[in-house]
Amino acid sequence: MSENRFYTTQLQAGLGLITETRQLLELYEPGVSVAELTERALSSGRFPLVTARRLRNIVAECFAPRYLRRPNTAATLKRLAAGLNRAEFSQLLLIHTARANLVLADFIRDVYWPRYAAGRDALTLEDAREFVIAGMRAGRTQKPWSDTTIRRVASYLLSCCADYELLGGNGRGPRPIQPLRLHTKVAAYLAYDLHFQGLGDNQILTHSDWQLFGLTPDDVRDLLKRLSLQGLLILQSAGDVVHVGWTCKTLDELSDVITR
C-alpha cells in the first residue's frame, strides 16, 4: 500500500458506471472543470433517469477521481472510446477505477486472483467482508468502520467486479469467477501509460496494475513480446533486463494506431 493511501467508501458513489462514463466522456473537453462538466451533463438530456444530486455525485465522486486526476487521461479515453468495443473500454475503466480505489485494487489482487488460482469458482459476500475486516485491522482505513459499513463496502466490491465482468451473477449468493483475459489494445495502452508516467522499462514489467488481470512479470514480458510482433513497440530482452523501444511518442499517437 502506498504511503498515506487508505481504503475509503467512495465506491458507494458509483460502481463500474461504464455507460455513464462513456456519456460523460462525450461531453468532456480538455480544461473543463468538474462543475462545468456537471452542468453540461445536467443540461444534456442524456441522464433522464438520474436525479440532479445523483449526477453531481457521479461526476464529483466517481468520474473526477478516476479520470481527471492526471492531465490528459480523460481526453485519451475519449479518443479511445469511439474505437474500442465494450469489453476493451470496460478494461480501461477498470484500470483507472482501481487506481482511484485502493480497496478495489487490493481486493482483486489479493483475493480474486489468488482464489481463482487456488481453484475457487466463486466469491461470496463473506469473502469480501473478511477482506475488508483484515484491511481495517491492518490499518488500511483511517478509522474503524462499523459492521454496517464493512458489509456495504464488501457488497460494493462484488458488484463493482461484476460490472467489470470479473464476476457473474447479480443475486445474493456466490458470484461465479469470470477470469479476464487482457485485450491487446488495453495492454498496449497500459504499457504506454506507465511509460509516460516516467517508469523505467523493468519497472513497467513489475507494476501492480498488471496484477489486476492476474499477470506476473513473466506474463507481462510475454505480452510485450506479442505487442512487439504487432509493431506496437520494440522489445529487447536479455536475462532479467528488458529494453523497450516506444514506437509511439504520445498516447494520442498510440490511440490513433490501435483504433484504426
Side-chain angles (χ1 to χ4, degrees):
M1 183 186 66
S2 299
E3 186 178 0
N4 296 330
R5 289 200 65 197
F6 294 97
Y7 292 173
T8 72
T9 61
Q10 196 169 57
L11 282 175
Q12 70 186 354
L15 303 174
L17 296 174
I18 296 168
T19 299
E20 294 87 344
T21 299
R22 189 183 288 273
Q23 291 175 327
L24 287 170
L25 286 171
E26 291 174 359
L27 297 171
Y28 172 82
E29 297 293 341
V32 71
S33 68
V34 172
E36 290 168 338
L37 182 58
T38 301
E39 290 307 312
R40 288 188 184 187
L42 287 169
S43 61
S44 69
R46 294 170 181 253
F47 305 90
L49 302 180
V50 182
T51 65
R53 180 177 180 179
R54 171 70 178 139
L55 190 52
R56 289 189 178 94
N57 283 340
I58 288 174
V59 176
E61 300 297 327
C62 297
F63 188 88
R66 298 175 189 182
Y67 312 113
L68 300 182
R69 288 192 309 155
R70 289 175 48 225
N72 302 323
T73 295
T76 300
L77 292 179
K78 180 172 183 172
R79 291 172 69 97
L80 287 168
L84 300 181
N85 62 37
R86 179 180 172 85
E88 292 166 336
F89 183 67
S90 173
Q91 289 188 0
L92 286 183
L93 301 193
L94 169 59
I95 292 167
H96 290 284
T97 301
R99 287 177 178 176
N101 294 273
L102 186 63
V103 64
L104 175 64
D106 281 356
F107 179 70
I108 295 172
R109 291 189 292 243
D110 299 341
V111 176
Y112 178 89
W113 285 111
R115 299 294 171 88
Y116 171 72
R120 287 278 297 274
D121 59 4
L123 289 179
T124 66
L125 183 62
E126 185 60 22
D127 291 326
R129 196 180 75 86
E130 289 177 356
F131 162 77
V132 175
I133 291 173
M136 185 180 69
R137 289 174 176 169
R140 292 185 170 92
T141 59
Q142 287 187 298
K143 61 181 181 180
W145 286 348
S146 68
D147 290 343
T148 299
T149 298
I150 290 169
R151 188 171 185 84
R152 285 177 178 171
V153 172
S155 177
Y156 302 151
L157 290 171
L158 295 182
S159 296
C160 197
C161 285
D163 282 354
Y164 290 126
E165 300 181 358
L166 288 155
L167 296 174
N170 56 8
R172 295 190 176 185
R175 289 182 179 261
I177 292 174
Q178 301 176 161
L180 284 185
R181 178 180 177 274
L182 182 60
H183 290 285
T184 299
K185 294 177 180 179
V186 181
Y189 168 87
L190 179 53
Y192 271 89
D193 183 61
L194 295 173
H195 167 63
F196 288 128
Q197 288 184 44
L199 274 65
D201 295 342
N202 282 282
Q203 289 176 304
I204 291 171
L205 207 67
T206 58
H207 197 275
S208 60
D209 280 352
W210 300 107
Q211 296 172 29
L212 297 171
F213 303 95
L215 300 179
T216 67
D218 286 341
D219 295 329
V220 178
R221 188 194 303 266
D222 291 340
L223 183 58
L224 295 183
K225 289 179 182 177
R226 294 198 294 272
L227 295 179
S228 180
L229 291 173
Q230 296 180 38
L232 292 169
L233 48 81
I234 301 170
L235 181 70
Q236 296 177 320
S237 178
D240 293 332
V241 179
V242 169
H243 176 72
V244 180
W246 303 95
T247 55
C248 296
K249 303 308 178 186
T250 65
L251 278 177
D252 284 348
E253 184 179 340
L254 175 71
S255 300
D256 291 339
V257 169
I258 65 178
T259 57
R260 273 178 200 152

